[in-house]
């Protein structure tokens, strides 16, 4: 009888512990927030600009005044190289890594640099924005055309219409785009175009016939539109385009009706984080409804469907083509595939175009340099 009573008591205790664990798991938001405040610091490597991230980071700092936040901006290629070099050398590095170079981010996750973490709002995210509970797409930003309203009264509404207008000589000036040989995101968009549309190489040929002007960042490309240097910008990050269009009425924005690529800025908690709870606290906040609304206030289109998007409204659901956060992006880093795609690009644009590349970098770091 005594032994039976002891067993019953043990079972009651175990059940109680399990119930407590279910009510307040070790990874609960409250516990993570307390541990984050005790860590007292957070280092972020990112390529998102100050203006776009200011509202989000300001709110996080107010909620966690004990945490000293170091937000270190660099372009996406430099970010990747610096982070990998830090880890290899055993140096202190980023706790949270956040970049628009989706393929490089997924490579880091795939190579074991990320911690597993499932934030409370994970189920509010689209399935394409999550991989392995490690890499999270934080935004959903369309890739658009921009054009000079002063010189182009009727812009192309789709990729197919742009191809037809180029062949007909109906674009009254130069086109600007990224050089995928020198721009990480430029290669991402170019390779995704090749997957999305069978005639994308024909479009490159048509662009090459008109001697396009090539850029490293969205900011310099948008400045070229306002300055009258180019009449149309191809494959531009929509959040930056909308932000500039609000300031410069001469800029128009087109969400291509046949398909609109949608890219995401991927964030992950570093496996080597010195302040892992602070990183988890910020990532959870970024994916919360409040955090997503603050990103929208900074002109970055949120990934959550239950948060209002900034203007202009964006692509139709039928046209939107999200770039999935996952291992499919690793194909971009296959050297043979990359070499083949870039050879196609060089042949389309012309053998001497790389010497004419615009090397001006945007010192304000808008987040989509290579």
């Amino acid at each position: 009888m005594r032994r039976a009573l002891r067993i019953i008591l043990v079972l009651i205790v175990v059940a109680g512990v399990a119930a407590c664990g279910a009510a307040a798991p070790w990874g609960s938001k409250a516990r993570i927030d307390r541990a984050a405040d005790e860590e007292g610091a957070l280092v972020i490597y990112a390529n998102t600009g100050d203006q776009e991230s200011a509202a989000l980071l300001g709110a996080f700092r107010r909620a966690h005044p004990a945490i000293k936040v170091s937000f270190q901006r660099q372009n996406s290629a430099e970010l990747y190289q610096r982070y990998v070099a830090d880890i290899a050398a055993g140096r202190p590095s980023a706790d949270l890594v956040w970049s628009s170079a989706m393929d490089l981010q997924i490579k880091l996750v795939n190579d074991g640099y990320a911690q597993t973490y499932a934030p409370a709002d994970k189920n509010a995210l689209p399935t394409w924005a999550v991989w392995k509970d490690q890499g999270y797409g934080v935004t959903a930003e369309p890739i658009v055309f921009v054009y000079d309203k002063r010189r182009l009264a009727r812009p192309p509404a789709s990729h197919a219409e742009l191809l037809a207008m180029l062949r007909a000589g109906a674009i009254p000036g130069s086109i600007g785009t990224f050089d995928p040989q020198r721009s990480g995101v430029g290669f991402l968009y170019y390779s995704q175009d090749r997957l999305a549309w069978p005639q994308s190489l024909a479009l490159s040929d048509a662009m090459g016939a008109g001697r396009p002007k090539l850029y490293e960042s969205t900011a310099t490309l948008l400045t070229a539109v306002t300055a009258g240097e180019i009449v149309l910008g191809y494959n531009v990050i929509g959040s930056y385009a909308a932000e500039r269009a609000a300031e410069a009425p001469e800029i128009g924005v087109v969400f291509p009706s046949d398909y609109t690529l949608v890219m995401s800025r991927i964030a992950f908690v570093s496996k080597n984080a010195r302040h892992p709870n602070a990183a988890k606290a910020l990532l959870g906040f970024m994916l919360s409804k409040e955090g997503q609304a603050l990103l929208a206030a900074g002109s970055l289109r949120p990934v959550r469907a239950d948060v209002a998007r900034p203007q202009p409204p964006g692509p139709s659901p039928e046209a939107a083509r999200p770039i999935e956060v996952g291992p499919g992006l690793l194909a971009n880093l296959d050297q043979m595939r990359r070499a083949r795609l870039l050879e196609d690009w060089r042949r389309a644009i012309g053998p001497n175009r790389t010497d004419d590349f615009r090397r001006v970098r945007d010192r304000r770091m808008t987040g989509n340099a290579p």
Side-chain angles (χ1 to χ4, degrees):
M1 179 66 70
R2 290 176 182 172
R3 183 179 179 184
L5 287 172
R6 282 199 299 270
I7 292 172
I8 292 170
L9 287 171
V10 168
L11 291 174
I12 291 171
V13 170
V14 169
V17 169
C20 290
W26 178 260
S28 69
K29 182 181 183 303
R31 188 181 294 276
I32 287 173
D33 284 346
R34 287 195 299 271
D37 290 339
E38 290 172 2
E39 288 171 353
L42 171 62
V43 178
I44 307 161
Y45 285 2
N47 70 343
T48 299
D50 286 336
Q51 184 172 344
E52 292 76 25
S53 58
L56 175 82
L57 293 177
F60 182 78
R61 287 184 171 106
R62 288 190 295 274
H64 297 275
I67 298 176
K68 181 180 179 182
V69 178
S70 175
F71 187 76
Q72 301 182 24
R73 291 183 296 118
Q74 52 239 291
N75 73 43
S76 55
E78 291 168 348
L79 183 157
Y80 173 85
Q81 293 161 4
R82 178 184 176 189
Y83 175 74
V84 171
D86 287 345
I87 302 303
R91 293 190 295 263
S93 189
D95 301 305
L96 185 82
V97 184
W98 185 28
S99 173
S100 59
M102 298 180 68
D103 45 4
L104 294 179
Q105 289 290 88
I106 289 301
K107 176 171 171 53
L108 289 173
V109 173
N110 188 66
D111 289 348
Y113 288 95
Q115 289 191 32
T116 298
Y117 169 58
D121 289 85
K122 175 191 166 185
N123 291 336
L125 307 176
T127 55
W128 62 261
V130 181
W131 188 45
K132 295 172 60 175
D133 284 353
Q134 294 180 343
Y136 290 89
V138 175
T139 60
E141 299 173 65
I143 306 305
V144 303
F145 307 158
V146 296
Y147 66 98
D148 186 345
K149 293 180 179 179
R150 299 164 297 188
R151 292 192 288 160
L152 190 60
R154 191 185 70 80
S158 66
H159 296 84
E161 190 172 355
L162 174 59
L163 174 58
M165 291 177 71
L166 285 169
R167 285 175 168 172
I171 302 292
S174 297
I175 284 184
T177 189
F178 295 105
D179 186 340
Q181 300 175 113
R182 292 180 167 91
S183 167
V185 294
F187 181 80
L188 174 66
Y189 306 153
Y190 169 65
S191 62
Q192 292 295 317
D193 273 339
R194 294 288 299 272
L195 292 172
W197 189 43
Q199 289 187 280
S200 64
L201 189 55
L203 179 58
S204 297
D205 287 331
M207 287 185 189
R211 295 185 62 81
K213 295 182 179 180
L214 308 178
Y215 299 84
E216 281 189 329
S217 81
T218 294
T220 50
L221 190 154
L222 290 171
T223 297
V225 177
T226 57
E229 296 177 15
I230 59 175
V231 69
L232 185 142
Y234 178 76
N235 273 358
V236 180
I237 295 178
S239 52
Y240 294 132
E243 185 178 23
R244 185 67 68 91
E247 302 168 353
E250 62 269 25
I251 291 182
V253 179
V254 174
F255 297 91
S257 60
D258 45 4
Y259 72 92
T260 301
L261 296 176
V262 178
M263 77 89 171
S264 188
R265 299 168 193 269
I266 298 176
F268 66 85
V269 177
S270 174
K271 190 171 184 178
N272 294 72
R274 302 179 78 191
H275 314 103
N277 290 292
K280 291 174 184 177
L282 177 58
L283 180 55
F285 183 59
M286 293 166 81
L287 297 173
S288 70
K289 196 167 185 178
E290 179 186 358
Q292 291 277 291
L294 290 167
L295 287 171
S299 82
L300 298 179
R301 292 178 66 84
V303 72
R304 289 179 59 149
D306 58 350
V307 176
R309 265 74 168 169
Q311 295 296 316
S316 69
E318 296 77 20
R321 188 77 60 88
I323 302 173
E324 187 168 350
V325 176
L329 287 163
L330 296 174
N332 279 350
L333 303 174
D334 177 81
Q335 293 305 305
M336 291 183 64
R337 179 176 186 270
R338 181 182 179 87
R340 185 169 61 252
L341 289 173
L342 290 178
E343 180 57 33
D344 289 345
W345 165 263
R346 285 188 288 269
R347 191 162 44 242
I349 298 303
N352 299 319
R353 291 297 298 132
T354 55
D355 296 332
D356 200 23
F357 180 68
R358 298 210 160 196
R359 304 176 189 277
V360 179
R361 290 179 179 265
D362 177 31
R363 300 299 181 183
R364 294 178 299 166
M365 285 300 302
T366 59
N368 66 305

